[in-house]
């Protein structure tokens, strides 16, 4: 796992405390990691377009989630406007993992938007001319807006649609695909 950014002192100290807590929990996950075959490790990589952070980690072994990894992903996918950290639905990570596997790539996802606080969502609704849902699944940690460098946006959309694991929104003018773990639908 790696996160790259030049943080402020306050952010650095806060992140250091989180890493210390995650490190204390890591030995609990180590037996599962040690006994896992490479095929059972589920990993993801992200580059955040707004924070310039990068992260690569194993988030699950088969279908068993690794708690410290989920905490790192929750922080990474925080509301980039307010800094609020939400609980991301772990099934969203499985969806992203399956999309990359369907496309046959290991390229990091570029994240446009992850978790969104209700205040941020309301602000975006009032400034984006109706392009933001009032009850957005981003506020529940069930949605992410992404793209994959080197992969046509329509191919990313089609791979997600083929899985039928949630909602898929296609935004070619804004260069991203919305993926969520809500009901199966597309727009």
């Amino acid at each position: 796992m790696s996160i790259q950014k030049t943080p402020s002192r306050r952010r650095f100290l806060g992140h250091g405390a989180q890493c210390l807590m995650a490190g204390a929990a890591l030995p609990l996950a180590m037996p599962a990691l040690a006994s896992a075959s490479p095929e059972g490790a589920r990993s993801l990589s992200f580059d955040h377009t707004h924070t310039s952070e990068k992260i690569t980690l194993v988030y699950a072994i088969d279908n068993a989630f690794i708690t410290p990894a989920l905490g790192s992903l929750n922080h990474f996918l925080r509301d980039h406007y307010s800094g609020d950290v939400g609980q991301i639905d772990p099934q969203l990570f499985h969806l992203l993992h399956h999309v990359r596997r369907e496309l046959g790539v290991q390229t990091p996802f570029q994240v446009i938007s992850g978790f969104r606080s209700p205040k941020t969502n309301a602000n975006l609704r009032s400034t984006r001319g109706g392009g933001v849902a009032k009850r957005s699944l981003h506020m529940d940690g069930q949605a992410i807006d992404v793209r994959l460098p080197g992969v046509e946006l329509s191919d990313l959309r089609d791979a997600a649609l083929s899985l039928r694991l949630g909602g898929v929104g296609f935004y070619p003018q804004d260069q991203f695909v919305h993926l969520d773990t809500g009901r199966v639908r597309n727009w």
Side-chain angles (χ1 to χ4, degrees):
M1 168 179 64
S2 64
I3 297 178
Q4 300 168 347
K5 185 180 178 190
T6 307
S8 68
R9 184 174 192 271
R10 180 177 293 170
R11 191 174 275 173
F12 175 79
L13 292 174
H15 184 67
Q18 288 176 340
C19 288
L20 182 62
M21 290 182 351
L26 193 56
L28 300 174
M30 292 311 286
L33 288 170
S35 64
S37 66
E39 303 87 49
R42 294 184 182 208
S43 65
L44 286 169
S45 297
F46 296 102
D47 295 341
H48 203 295
T49 61
H50 296 286
T51 66
S52 299
E53 294 173 325
K54 300 175 185 301
I55 191 170
T56 297
L57 49 65
V58 173
Y59 72 91
I61 304 297
D62 294 318
N63 286 323
F65 294 105
I66 301 170
T67 303
L70 295 181
S72 295
L73 288 168
N74 286 339
H75 181 264
F76 182 84
L77 295 172
R78 69 193 176 277
D79 182 328
H80 65 270
Y81 292 98
S82 69
D84 293 345
V85 177
Q87 288 287 121
I88 305 298
D89 178 2
Q91 294 305 317
L92 189 59
F93 304 130
H94 278 334
L95 170 59
L96 293 164
H97 175 79
H98 289 302
V99 165
R100 272 200 337 183
R101 192 172 64 189
E102 182 78 14
L103 290 166
V105 299
Q106 291 299 311
T107 310
F109 283 99
Q110 289 182 337
V111 176
I112 295 23
S113 182
F115 173 75
R116 213 183 279 154
S117 72
K119 182 178 179 181
T120 294
N121 199 71
N123 185 44
L124 291 174
R125 272 183 61 74
S126 68
T127 60
R128 297 282 165 98
V132 175
K134 183 176 185 177
R135 190 63 198 110
S136 171
L137 291 178
H138 286 275
M139 296 187 301
D140 297 326
Q142 292 182 276
I144 191 167
D145 299 334
V146 294
R147 60 182 166 244
L148 276 168
V151 174
E152 290 291 327
L153 213 53
S154 58
D155 292 340
L156 174 58
R157 175 203 56 204
D158 294 347
L161 286 171
S162 74
L163 295 170
R164 301 193 48 79
L165 294 174
V168 179
F170 185 55
Y171 297 90
Q173 68 282 4
D174 296 315
Q175 287 297 296
F176 70 83
V177 173
H178 166 99
L179 303 173
D180 68 53
T181 57
R183 63 185 169 77
V184 176
R185 67 214 185 287
N186 66 285
W187 60 96

